[in-house]
């Protein structure tokens, strides 16, 4: 029974992720050339993304936020110039320099971050890159809606890729707060602390590229902002056949330490007066005034069973002395 | 059975009862806990670079010396003074700040300092639960091993919540109390709240001049009250609170959603409006409160030093609610509906987010003779605070940011602060027997005695020290004449398993008593009873086994009696 459910779940998950995968490869065309990483002025491009994000906000929200965003904008502008030429920042944006893993830490003017980026260094287990793919990941509160008891989530909880694939992740933050796409457990000789990390400070997209090793492995993907993973923003990257599943991935794997739930006695809508039929009145009357309680009912049943037994015993007793005399 | 066995048993019983009596005379030994058995952390956090204590200039920002164990990160101060938009990438990387946390632009009045200030705050949970393991994350100890669940406003952060990927300890920006915010009178301030937490929150500017609605009709933020002035700010949303303060003073900001719990959980901080001066780059954030290492121009005109002292208290049971469940619905149920603050008592008393002994690391007021020191004191606990300074009588200059008539300003050594009240004190270290009694290590603390406990155990709570420089070592540690303080830095002390008086003398007169080595009176009575029972049992056994003999003896005896009776009758 459990096994069959498990198999069904597994198959459906597989089907889902397969579907998502095809969607993403379709998007590849749109993202061709991944501008952000090749362009010297990637910072500016990101700002453009941000502007569009703001514009979207204007249309989404009712008037009251309007002027605030305007103000926010004006003030953000000068900062871009002042920070643009800080040496570290600038040089790290040149893709031409090659991103060595020791200086693969990129931070832009608004705090968006790419860490552990790797365009061309093959994991030792790979002879060549098996395929180049792009995956778009959305993060935000809305994706938690389908998982009761969570507040933040990614749009998908699992991504499946071939061993040795080169993946460009487009991390889209749909919230107005910071979110992260942080992957752990990668080979340390390629990725600092074994991490690949994208961080988006607000409603904008951050992209980064990495290459996965050859072994079948399942990698943790989460947002490390306090309580974001715990409250749902968690997923796994399955390379090849994958390794062991992680715990507490919404809709995918059970919680290691689940809460206990007890239904509350919450107020409920009372029965509508129009539908107050005679039968309902009778049941209600009986409910309120019935002389027969459950215990009394049990007593009656007991009485019905016990009485014949007792009478038989007494009959037997009567017979016995008769026979003996 | 031969009679000699019976005698042997009797002898054994009497001997053992004597032994029982002997052992119950002696009281248990004193047991001493070895220091090696303790989980003690160094009094001074060794991770902090010694250079952080020095007076220095970073990115053109002058930073005062801070001779204490855990001085504020000077790079963080530089970023807070200039804004994250005006510092070098190198400086920014020395902090956990996001590049857009503090944005300072536009010298509108042309007096040499920026007048448009954007400050971005996130909402962070400390010591929260995890569905993946039994511990808490990210952790923040208010005292060794004491980790109450808490919520704070935190400067917008970059990267991991923890110190590094191997640690569960919160990074330096995520801590109690919510940071002190400093702005200049007349600044156009946008306080941007980015709700990174899983519950709704808002900001209420308590005592700070802010519009309910802006003159041109646009609403920026509001008064923070969901029932009247604005909507709940839901998870993942941001809101901008815009204000231009016309009046100066020591004020507060706090969440106004379910204030009875949200404020108590730590969503409250000090906000200070400094007087307008030319070239007045104020330290926009004072993370962890305490010493202001870059005081405003107006403060420097009058004072040698400035300190922000934020007193807070928390109910243990309340802080445990968020650790009991992972599901936000269950947390909301307990927080909103089951928790009854009228039945609650506060258990943890904190100064600048820490309780003794951690207060000694960073919340000491370090002074030299003949100084004038500005103390800005806020009480955000739910009860009145009775702050007391040993060795000093300070002058109360301001209540709730309003200057007291100078003629009517009073000197006290106990300062009462009602809930949410602020006092500005001037501490004068002139040794005249009134302002100061001279150099030393002088305590200052809450004089409601529960305030100097951690969950009812002393020493603890909001105790700290006014420390004269000559009484501090090079690490900024008080050179005490009193007891060794290192044991207070053990988890065992706070877990109440360390008998703190064991080292008062060599023999440990007031140490812990071992368990009963002999027998306590109840046990010896039990043993007596057992022995008596044993004897009785033997008697009964004998009676049954030898019943024939007994009946024979008995019948012989009765027949003898009868015989004698009969003979007498017959006679
Ligand atoms: Cu997140
Ligand atoms: Cu709140």
């Amino acid at each position: 029974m459990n096994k069959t459910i498990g198999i069904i779940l597994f198959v459906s998950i597989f089907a889902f992720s397969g579907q998502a995968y095809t969607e993403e490869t379709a998007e590849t065309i749109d993202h061709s050339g991944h501008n952000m990483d090749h362009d010297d002025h990637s910072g500016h491009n990101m700002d453009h993304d941000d502007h569009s994000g703001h514009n979207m906000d204007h249309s989404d929200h009712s008037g009251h936020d309007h002027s605030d965003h305007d103000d926010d904008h004006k003030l953000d502008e000068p900062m871009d110039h002042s920070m643009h030429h800080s040496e570290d920042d600038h040089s790290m944006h040149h893709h031409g320099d090659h991103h060595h893993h020791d200086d693969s830490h990129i931070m832009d003017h608004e705090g968006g971050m790419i860490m552990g980026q790797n365009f061309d260094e093959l994991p030792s287990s790979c002879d060549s890159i098996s395929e180049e793919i792009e995956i778009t990941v959305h993060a935000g509160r809305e994706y938690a809606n389908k998982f009761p008891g969570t507040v933040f989530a990614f749009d998908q909880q699992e991504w499946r890729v071939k061993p040795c694939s080169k993946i460009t992740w487009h991390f889209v933050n749909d919230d107005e707060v910071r979110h992260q796409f942080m992957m752990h457990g990668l080979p340390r000789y390629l990725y600092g602390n074994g991490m690949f990390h994208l961080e988006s400070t607000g409603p904008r997209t951050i992209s980064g590229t990495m290459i996965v090793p050859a072994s079948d492995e399942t990698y943790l993907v989460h947002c490390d902002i306090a309580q974001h993973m715990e409250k749902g923003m968690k997923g796994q990257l399955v390379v090849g056949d994958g390794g062991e599943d992680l715990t507490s991935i919404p809709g995918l794997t059970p919680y290691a330490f689940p809460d206990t739930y007890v239904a509350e006695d919450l107020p409920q809508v009372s029965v509508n007066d129009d539908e107050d039929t005679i039968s309902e009145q009778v049941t209600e009357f009986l409910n309120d005034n019935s002389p027969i309680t459950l215990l009394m009912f049990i007593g009656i049943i007991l009485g019905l069973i016990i009485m014949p037994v007792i009478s038989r015993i007494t009959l037997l007793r009567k017979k016995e002395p008769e026979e003996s005399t | 059975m031969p009679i000699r066995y019976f005698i042997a048993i009797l002898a054994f019983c009497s001997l053992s009862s004597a032994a029982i009596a002997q052992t119950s005379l002696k009281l248990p030994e004193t047991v001493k806990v070895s220091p090696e058995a303790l989980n003690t952390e160094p009094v001074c956090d060794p991770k902090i670079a010694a250079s952080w204590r020095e007076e220095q200039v970073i990115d053109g920002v002058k930073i005062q010396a801070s001779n204490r164990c855990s001085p504020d990160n000077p790079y963080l101060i530089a970023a807070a003074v200039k804004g994250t938009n005006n510092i070098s990438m190198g400086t920014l990387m020395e902090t956990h700040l996001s590049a857009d946390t503090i944005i300072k632009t536009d010298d509108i009045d042309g007096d040499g300092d920026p007048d448009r200030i954007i400050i971005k705050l996130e909402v962070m949970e400390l010591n929260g639960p995890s569905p993946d393991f039994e511990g808490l994350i990210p952790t923040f100890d208010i005292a060794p091993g004491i980790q109450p669940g808490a919520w704070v406003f935190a400067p917008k952060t970059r990267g991991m919540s923890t110190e590094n990927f191997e640690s569960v300890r919160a990074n330096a920006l995520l801590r109690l109390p919510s940071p002190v915010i400093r702005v200049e009178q007349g600044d156009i301030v946008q306080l941007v709240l980015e709700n990174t937490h899983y519950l709704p929150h808002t900001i209420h500017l308590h005592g700070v001049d802010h519009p309910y609605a802006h003159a041109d009709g646009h609403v920026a933020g509001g008064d923070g009250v969901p029932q009247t002035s604005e909507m709940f700010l839901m998870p993942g949303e941001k809101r901008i609170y815009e204000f231009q303060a016309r009046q100066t003073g020591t004020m507060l900001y706090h969440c106004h959603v379910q204030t009875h719990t949200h404020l108590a959980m730590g969503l409250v901080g000090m906000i200070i409006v400094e007087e307008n001066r030319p070239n007045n780059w104020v330290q926009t954030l004072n993370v962890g409160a305490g010493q202001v290492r870059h005081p405003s121009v107006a403060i420097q005109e009058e004072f040698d030093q400035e300190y922000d002292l934020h007193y807070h208290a928390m109910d243990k049971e309340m802080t445990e609610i968020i650790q009991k469940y992972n599901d936000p619905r269950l947390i909301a149920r307990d927080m909103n509906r089951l928790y009854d603050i009228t039945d609650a008592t506060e258990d943890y008393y904190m100064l600048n987010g820490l309780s003794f002994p951690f207060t000694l690391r960073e919340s000491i007021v370090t002074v030299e003779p003949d100084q004038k020191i500005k103390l800005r004191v806020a009480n955000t606990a739910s009860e009145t605070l009775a702050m007391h300074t040993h060795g000093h009588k300070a002058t109360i200059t301001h209540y709730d940011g309003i200057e007291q008539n100078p003629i009517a300003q009073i000197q006290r050594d106990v300062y009462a602060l009602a809930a949410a009240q602020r006092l500005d004190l001037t501490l004068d270290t002139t040794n005249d027997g009134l302002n100061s009694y001279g150099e030393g290590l002088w305590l200052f603390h809450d004089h409601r005695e529960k305030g100097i406990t951690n969950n009812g155990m002393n020493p603890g709570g909001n105790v700290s020290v006014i420390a004269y420089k000559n009484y501090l070592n090079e690490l900024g540690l008080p050179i005490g004449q009193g007891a060794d303080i290192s044991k207070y830095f053990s988890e065992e002390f706070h877990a109440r398993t360390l008998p703190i008086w064991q080292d008062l003398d060599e023999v440990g007169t007031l140490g812990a008593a071992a368990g009963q080595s002999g027998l306590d009176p109840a046990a010896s009575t039990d043993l007596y009873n057992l022995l008596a029972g044993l004897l009785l049992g033997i008697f009964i056994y004998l009676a049954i086994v030898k019943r024939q003999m007994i009946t024979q003896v008995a019948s012989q005896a009765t027949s003898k009696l009868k015989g004698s009776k009969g003979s007498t009758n017959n006679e």
Side-chain angles (χ1 to χ4, degrees):
Chain A
M1 179 63 181
N2 277 339
K3 260 190 187 168
T4 49
I5 289 174
I7 288 163
I8 291 164
L9 264 177
F10 185 76
V11 168
S12 58
I13 286 162
F14 209 84
F16 256 126
S17 49
Q19 191 197 353
Y21 177 70
T22 48
E23 274 172 27
E24 278 145 17
T25 39
E27 271 184 61
T28 308
I29 304 148
D30 300 337
H31 286 282
S32 60
H34 32 110
N35 291 334
M36 275 204 240
D37 302 311
H38 288 278
D39 202 305
D40 285 354
H41 300 282
S42 56
H44 282 295
N45 282 349
M46 288 189 195
D47 288 340
H48 275 293
D49 279 2
D50 194 34
H51 285 247
S52 66
H54 277 277
N55 288 338
M56 264 159 54
D57 288 343
H58 285 301
S59 54
D60 285 351
H61 291 271
S62 53
H64 81 267
D65 269 344
H66 196 273
S67 50
D68 309 337
H69 282 293
D70 273 357
D71 285 347
D72 200 7
H73 254 195
K74 268 182 240 150
L75 296 170
D76 277 2
E77 223 74 288
M79 183 190 68
D80 294 341
H81 300 296
S82 59
M83 285 212 26
H84 190 80
H85 296 292
S86 92
E87 302 131 332
D88 299 2
D89 189 40
H90 199 71
S91 67
M92 279 194 282
H93 276 84
H94 281 276
H95 182 217
D97 294 346
H98 287 285
H99 290 255
H100 299 293
H101 42 266
D102 50 339
D103 68 350
S104 62
H105 187 137
I106 298 170
M107 185 156 134
D108 69 27
H109 319 294
E110 293 207 340
M113 275 207 301
I114 307 166
M115 279 171 75
Q117 181 148 249
N118 174 21
F119 287 98
D120 40 27
E121 299 221 20
L122 279 176
S124 56
S125 52
C126 297
D127 294 330
S128 61
I129 286 166
S130 62
E131 63 174 356
E132 292 196 25
I133 53 171
E134 307 201 13
I135 302 178
T136 301
V137 179
H138 287 262
R141 183 161 77 93
E142 61 188 285
Y143 305 107
N145 289 346
K146 59 183 173 199
F147 304 117
T150 68
V151 173
F152 300 107
F154 298 120
D155 61 337
Q156 278 179 257
Q157 282 61 50
E158 187 175 79
W159 305 271
R160 289 182 171 264
V161 297
K162 286 184 189 163
C164 304
S165 357
K166 177 174 173 178
I167 314 164
T168 296
W169 298 91
H170 302 291
F171 180 54
V172 187
N173 182 352
D174 293 325
D175 278 345
E176 293 187 293
V177 305
R178 204 155 55 89
H179 283 304
Q180 300 168 338
F181 177 89
M182 188 184 279
M183 194 183 294
H184 288 274
L186 295 163
R188 300 248 179 134
Y189 61 88
L190 282 181
Y191 302 93
N193 291 329
M195 282 162 60
F196 172 75
H197 175 61
L198 302 174
E199 179 160 337
S200 172
T201 50
R204 54 201 286 244
T205 302
I206 301 278
S207 300
T209 301
M210 44 96 67
I211 302 166
V212 295
S215 50
D216 292 337
E217 197 74 62
T218 297
Y219 297 95
L220 165 68
V221 174
H222 71 131
C223 176
D224 192 62
I225 296 172
Q227 290 298 318
H228 281 211
M229 172 174 75
E230 290 75 6
K231 302 297 185 264
M233 200 167 268
K234 187 177 187 182
Q236 60 187 20
L237 172 66
V238 179
V239 175
D241 293 332
E244 230 176 281
D245 270 349
L246 300 157
T247 53
S248 325
I249 299 179
L252 203 66
T253 60
Y255 282 53
F257 293 89
D259 290 324
T260 28
Y261 295 87
V262 179
E264 285 192 74
D265 187 15
L266 299 169
Q268 289 178 332
V269 180
S270 58
V271 178
N272 207 327
D273 281 342
D274 304 341
E275 294 164 24
D276 207 359
T277 60
I278 293 170
S279 67
E280 270 169 6
Q281 279 178 14
V282 169
T283 46
E284 208 171 285
F285 174 81
L286 281 176
N287 283 343
D288 294 346
N289 304 305
S290 169
I292 304 168
T293 65
L294 178 69
L295 275 175
M296 198 179 280
F297 181 73
I298 291 168
I300 292 165
I301 298 288
L302 271 175
L304 288 173
I305 294 167
I306 286 166
M307 270 314 287
V309 176
I310 291 171
S311 59
R312 260 200 205 162
I313 290 166
T314 46
L315 271 175
L316 279 171
R317 286 231 174 121
K318 269 182 190 169
K319 272 182 191 167
E320 270 171 26
E322 274 167 26
E323 278 168 10
S324 63
T325 47
Chain B
M1 188 178 75
I3 197 79
R4 60 174 183 275
Y5 287 141
F6 185 65
I7 289 168
I9 289 166
L10 265 181
F12 165 75
C13 286
S14 56
L15 271 175
S16 50
S17 65
I20 292 163
Q22 188 58 43
T23 51
S24 56
L25 281 180
K26 201 179 172 196
L27 297 179
E29 298 289 326
T30 300
V31 186
K32 269 205 179 189
V33 176
S34 157
E36 275 118 66
L38 302 178
N39 244 318
T40 308
E41 53 181 295
V43 173
C44 210
D45 191 340
K47 273 178 294 190
I48 289 173
S51 61
W52 281 14
R53 297 191 183 96
E54 292 159 14
E55 183 178 337
Q56 52 200 290
V57 176
I58 295 174
D59 277 22
V61 177
K62 256 188 85 178
I63 296 159
Q64 287 185 354
S66 182
N67 189 26
R68 54 183 42 70
C69 253
S70 302
D72 288 345
N73 175 354
Y75 298 95
L76 182 58
I77 293 163
V81 171
K82 298 225 24 209
T84 46
N85 59 324
N86 297 316
I87 50 163
S88 68
M89 184 57 86
T91 300
L92 184 65
M93 295 309 277
E94 293 289 330
T95 72
H96 272 99
L97 293 173
S98 179
D100 59 341
T101 307
I102 305 165
I103 297 160
K104 297 192 170 189
T105 54
D106 299 303
D107 183 1
I108 296 166
D109 56 9
D111 71 346
D113 56 58
D115 298 316
R116 278 187 187 275
I117 316 291
I118 299 176
I119 305 158
K120 293 186 177 167
L121 297 178
E122 298 179 327
V123 181
M124 288 295 175
E125 180 162 312
L126 303 172
N127 302 317
S130 166
D132 299 314
F133 64 100
E134 251 169 314
L136 304 171
I137 189 165
T139 62
F140 178 76
D141 291 41
I142 60 166
I146 301 185
Q147 302 176 334
W151 299 331
V152 289
F153 293 113
K156 187 170 186 179
T157 306
R158 156 179 60 82
M160 307 196 79
S161 299
T162 51
E163 291 172 316
N164 56 61
F165 84 108
E166 279 167 331
S167 166
V168 292
R169 275 177 57 169
N171 79 52
L173 289 182
L174 312 185
R175 56 162 297 163
L176 284 162
S178 296
V180 182
I181 297 171
R182 267 192 166 66
V183 298
E184 194 188 22
Q185 189 179 15
D187 279 352
I188 299 167
V189 181
Q190 290 194 341
L191 204 52
V192 184
L193 179 59
E194 299 187 352
N195 189 4
T196 47
H197 195 237
Y198 56 81
L199 296 180
H201 303 289
T202 64
I203 287 179
H204 165 67
L205 291 161
H206 180 131
V208 183
D209 171 28
H210 67 284
Y212 187 81
H214 284 265
D216 61 1
H218 86 273
V219 178
D223 197 35
V225 185
Q227 290 79 17
T228 56
S229 63
E230 64 183 77
M231 295 303 292
F232 292 95
L233 185 71
M234 292 300 285
E237 296 177 351
K238 79 167 178 185
R239 182 168 295 149
I240 300 169
Y241 295 88
E242 189 183 291
F243 63 94
Q244 189 170 15
R246 291 163 290 184
Q247 305 292 332
T248 60
T250 310
M251 312 299 182
L252 293 176
Y253 68 101
H254 62 81
C255 177
H256 221 295
V257 175
Q258 297 288 108
T259 320
H260 71 297
T261 52
H262 285 214
L263 187 151
M265 286 293 286
L267 291 173
V268 57
M270 298 169 73
I271 178 165
I272 289 141
V273 184
E274 299 276 4
E275 289 172 32
N276 194 4
R277 293 284 191 283
N279 290 311
N280 194 16
W281 291 69
V282 300
Q283 187 183 325
T284 304
L285 294 178
N286 185 11
V287 174
Q291 186 186 7
V292 186
R293 291 181 74 178
H294 185 87
S296 72
V297 172
I299 293 296
Q300 289 190 57
E301 286 166 3
E302 237 189 295
F303 298 96
D304 299 288
Q305 292 187 71
E306 182 184 20
Y307 288 83
D308 300 328
L309 303 176
H310 180 166
Y311 287 89
H312 189 63
M314 284 175 153
D315 171 26
K316 183 170 178 281
E317 283 68 35
M318 176 190 68
T319 67
E320 284 168 352
I321 291 174
I322 61 167
Q323 300 172 335
K324 259 194 283 186
Y325 315 102
N326 188 55
D327 192 321
R329 296 168 299 177
L330 302 181
I331 292 168
R333 177 195 67 194
D334 279 28
M335 276 281 178
N336 296 348
R337 295 188 278 134
L338 302 186
Y339 181 68
D340 182 352
I341 194 173
T342 64
D343 289 340
T345 52
E346 291 170 337
D347 302 293
Y348 301 126
Y349 298 88
M350 288 162 276
L351 169 59
N352 296 342
L354 299 174
S355 297
F356 180 89
F358 282 172
T359 45
L360 298 183
R361 284 184 173 174
E362 55 170 68
S363 287
I364 56 175
V365 174
T366 58
V367 302
E368 289 177 56
D370 304 314
Q371 279 191 331
K372 266 178 89 184
I373 299 128
K374 173 94 164 171
L375 304 179
R376 298 180 186 266
V377 191
N379 174 29
T380 62
S382 70
E383 293 176 12
T384 296
L385 172 81
M387 180 192 174
H388 168 51
T389 48
H390 288 207
H392 297 82
K393 286 188 166 64
T395 306
I396 305 170
T397 60
H398 297 69
Y399 286 89
D400 300 338
I402 314 250
E403 190 178 9
Q404 183 83 345
N405 181 347
I407 307 163
Q409 286 179 3
I410 49 172
Q411 258 181 307
R412 287 286 183 272
D413 59 26
V414 176
Y415 323 90
L417 282 90
Q421 188 145 57
R422 288 89 59 209
L423 292 185
D424 290 10
L425 304 178
T426 299
L427 183 71
D428 184 335
T429 54
T430 307
N431 181 1
D432 56 8
L434 172 68
N435 290 294
S436 166
Y437 312 163
E439 293 186 55
L441 293 173
W442 302 99
L443 282 195
F444 69 99
H445 59 87
D446 193 350
H447 220 298
R448 297 170 308 150
E449 310 318 339
K450 60 185 174 183
I452 55 171
T453 70
N454 293 337
N455 193 20
M457 194 176 68
N458 174 273
N462 54 36
V463 177
S464 191
V465 186
I466 298 168
Y468 281 73
K469 206 179 174 184
N470 288 339
Y471 287 81
L472 290 172
N473 69 14
E474 71 287 350
L475 293 176
L477 275 175
I479 308 164
Q481 315 292 309
D484 172 28
I485 56 168
S486 65
K487 60 176 172 286
Y488 302 129
F489 288 82
S490 71
E491 282 178 25
E492 287 75 9
F493 171 73
H494 298 280
R496 302 172 188 242
T497 56
L498 176 63
I500 47 164
W501 279 3
Q502 68 171 15
D503 300 317
L504 293 191
D505 57 22
E506 271 302 306
V507 288
T509 306
L510 299 174
Q516 200 78 35
S517 59
L519 293 159
D520 59 62
S524 59
T525 321
D526 288 347
L527 227 93
Y528 283 130
N529 289 340
L530 190 69
L531 283 173
L534 183 69
L535 283 175
L536 216 75
I538 290 163
F539 275 124
I540 292 166
Y541 169 80
L542 289 174
I544 292 167
V545 171
K546 309 280 179 186
R547 61 183 180 279
Q548 280 185 324
M549 201 177 88
I550 292 165
T551 43
Q552 265 181 18
V553 171
S555 61
Q556 274 175 11
T558 44
S559 61
K560 257 189 190 172
L561 272 173
K562 272 186 185 166
S564 61
K565 261 190 188 170
S567 63
T568 47
N569 281 352
N570 290 345
E571 275 173 17

